[in-house]
Amino acid sequence: MKRIWICLGLLSVVLSGCGYPVRREKLIDKYVLFAPDEPHDLSICREIASGSCVGGIEGTIAAVGMNKHYISALQHPHNNPAISNYWYIDLTVADSEFKGVTGPLTKEAFETATHTSDVPLLTLPVDKTYSLHRKYKLSNYLF
């Protein structure tokens, strides 16, 4: 009986900490959409050699846009769609994952940035399955 409890205990330890992220999807350069434990923790970060992530924008990311100079994002903090924060990362800045991050911005400030610089519009919504590759209506995210 003691062996059964030991085996069950070891099995639960092994299964509880497998170390794989729930979601990892490449955006541009070394930036990824990354959810370490829960899908609603989806963040944008810079992937490093060990496979973990640093810097960027914490979750929940609801939409992104990108070009060779910037990544833009719509964030609903704590998975609350009633709160919308807008961010962008300037990829041309050294240590862009930290020093190149601008936000949180209001919708108006974000719109100004998209009109006065090369910050991209939010053209890729992240759906409930947290995939960028689903097809559906973009009108809620575009200006």
Side-chain angles (χ1 to χ4, degrees), residues 28 65-71 91 118-120:
I28 189 169
M66 59 194 136
N67 60 33
K68 63 182 180 179
H69 301 291
Y70 294 96
I71 298 172
L91 302 175
D118 197 23
V119 173

Side-chain angles (χ1 to χ4, degrees), residues 93-132:
V93 173
D95 293 331
S96 60
E97 66 273 17
F98 298 108
K99 296 178 184 174
V101 178
T102 302
L105 301 170
T106 64
K107 183 176 182 177
E108 295 76 23
F110 180 75
E111 286 177 339
T112 300
T114 63
H115 295 306
T116 59
S117 64
D118 197 23
V119 173
L121 294 174
L122 301 166
T123 55
L124 298 168
V126 180
D127 70 8
K128 295 294 182 190
T129 62
Y130 298 93
S131 174
L132 291 174

Side-chain angles (χ1 to χ4, degrees), residues 3-140:
R3 286 185 186 173
I4 292 173
W5 286 110
I6 291 172
C7 289
L8 287 175
L10 288 173
L11 182 62
S12 68
V13 168
V14 169
L15 292 177
S16 67
C18 63
Y20 294 106
V22 172
R23 176 139 201 95
R24 184 199 161 283
E25 189 167 343
K26 184 170 176 59
L27 293 175
I28 189 169
D29 193 25
K30 294 183 180 185
Y31 284 87
V32 294
L33 279 171
F34 188 81
D37 298 316
E38 300 287 330
H40 62 267
D41 287 337
L42 191 66
S43 302
I44 295 175
C45 57
R46 185 172 169 269
E47 194 169 42
I48 56 176
S50 67
S52 57
C53 279
V54 296
I57 305 165
E58 291 186 6
T60 301
I61 302 300
V64 298
M66 59 194 136
N67 60 33
K68 63 182 180 179
H69 301 291
Y70 294 96
I71 298 172
S72 58
L74 169 62
Q75 172 204 52
H76 295 308
H78 311 293
N79 202 27
N80 182 352
I83 303 171
S84 295
N85 294 328
Y86 296 82
W87 299 76
Y88 63 88
I89 302 172
D90 185 344
L91 302 175
T92 64
V93 173
D95 293 331
S96 60
E97 66 273 17
F98 298 108
K99 296 178 184 174
V101 178
T102 302
L105 301 170
T106 64
K107 183 176 182 177
E108 295 76 23
F110 180 75
E111 286 177 339
T112 300
T114 63
H115 295 306
T116 59
S117 64
D118 197 23
V119 173
L121 294 174
L122 301 166
T123 55
L124 298 168
V126 180
D127 70 8
K128 295 294 182 190
T129 62
Y130 298 93
S131 174
L132 291 174
H133 304 294
R134 308 274 184 202
K135 292 183 179 181
Y136 55 89
K137 208 171 182 181
L138 298 177
S139 62
N140 293 337

